[in-house]
Amino acid sequence: MHIKSQPSILYFGTPVVLISTKNENYTDNLAPMSSIFWLGWRCIIGLAAASKTTQNLLRTRQCVLNLPSVHQAGAVNLLAKTTGSNPVPAGKVQKGYRYHQDKFELAGLTKQASETVQAPRVNECPVQMEAVVEVVHGLAEHDADMRGKILTFELLIKRVYLDESILLHGHPNRVDPNKWKPLIMSFQQFYGLGGQVHPSTLAEIPEHLYNTPDREKALDRNSLREMV
């Protein structure tokens, strides 16, 4: 039986991402978030307008999307309720956030140099994606109470790195879903994925049929760099 309900949040489960960006003083910022979804080699993320990550994205137009597995939950938790903004925005003060300058050190994570953006990758994360900002949109533009508080970013993926431990055997460009265990945020709690519950009809479609021009252009650029 269904009842009418008014939850304060509608967070039914999305992957956790550690976004690394460059601060204005060239230090590195690292922030956990999970308002994200992908379409081909592009994704949409949503961030509070006052956050340091948002400010860095608006200024540099670059970032790295680092996807932790369930094994990095502890490190992600150390970054929770921290911000790179000093002073701490009023909305985050109310939620108990604190300023921390070196988040990589706080979480015990290791930086890796990126190839197409300035922000570093997180070595411990099995999936790393260098990305650039294509378009920025406001959310709730027609609501005076909400306007300007949240921004959505369309990001174009420029480079993907996958740990060999999650690859399908013999296929360097395919992730094995039986090996990849993403960290999931559902109603403010951490979860992992269980086993496969049912065969998927979509799995009958070869993955290469989902290729987009964005991926092909990235591959062409990679090949040119390797030839130089």
Side-chain angles (χ1 to χ4, degrees):
M1 178 179 179
H2 293 76
I3 64 168
K4 292 182 179 179
S5 180
Q6 294 82 35
S8 295
I9 55 176
L10 299 175
Y11 239 76
F12 289 95
T14 47
V16 174
V17 183
L18 292 178
I19 302 184
S20 50
T21 55
K22 277 289 183 184
N23 296 320
E24 62 274 13
N25 62 358
Y26 299 104
T27 59
D28 300 306
N29 190 54
L30 188 64
M33 58 84 67
S34 53
S35 296
I36 186 167
F37 68 91
W38 280 267
L39 292 168
W41 271 47
R42 294 175 187 251
C43 69
I44 304 295
I45 65 171
L47 296 167
S51 78
K52 190 65 175 178
T53 297
T54 300
Q55 296 167 13
N56 289 346
L57 281 173
L58 291 172
R59 187 185 70 259
T60 68
R61 316 290 287 191
Q62 299 180 348
C63 68
V64 180
L65 304 171
N66 305 278
L67 273 60
S69 74
V70 293
H71 303 296
Q72 286 83 51
V76 174
N77 218 29
L78 290 172
L79 295 171
K81 300 205 300 187
T82 66
T83 178
S85 297
N86 189 20
V88 179
K92 291 192 172 183
V93 170
Q94 185 182 29
K95 296 181 177 74
Y97 278 69
R98 68 193 188 282
Y99 167 72
H100 202 285
Q101 183 176 6
D102 192 341
K103 295 188 183 180
F104 275 87
E105 180 184 50
L106 176 65
L109 297 171
T110 311
K111 299 178 186 179
Q112 276 185 298
S114 296
E115 295 184 2
T116 66
V117 299
Q118 292 186 340
R121 296 177 282 144
V122 178
N123 179 62
E124 289 77 6
C125 288
V127 180
Q128 308 157 339
M129 291 175 282
E130 298 172 10
V132 296
V133 175
E134 287 279 284
V135 185
V136 181
H137 296 282
L139 195 68
E141 289 293 309
H142 300 294
D143 188 325
D145 295 325
M146 287 291 296
R147 187 185 306 122
K149 294 184 178 180
I150 299 174
L151 296 179
T152 60
F153 294 83
E154 178 187 333
L155 303 178
L156 173 63
I157 306 303
K158 308 293 283 188
R159 191 68 58 86
V160 178
Y161 307 84
L162 301 174
D163 191 277
E164 291 180 346
S165 65
I166 66 170
L167 292 178
L168 188 66
H169 181 69
H171 296 273
N173 297 319
R174 292 187 62 183
V175 174
D176 187 336
N178 289 313
K179 297 177 181 178
W180 169 228
K181 304 300 180 185
L183 185 62
I184 302 296
M185 176 65 69
S186 179
F187 290 94
Q188 298 183 286
Q189 299 291 344
F190 289 132
Y191 291 89
L193 296 181
Q196 184 180 14
V197 297
H198 195 280
S200 170
T201 301
L202 285 178
E204 299 171 3
I205 303 173
E207 284 194 7
H208 71 267
L209 294 181
Y210 289 100
N211 284 345
T212 66
D214 291 331
R215 177 182 180 273
E216 303 310 311
K217 291 174 184 176
L219 291 175
D220 289 341
R221 286 190 293 267
N222 294 347
S223 298
L224 287 173
R225 287 190 181 90
E226 291 170 359
M227 293 172 60
V228 174

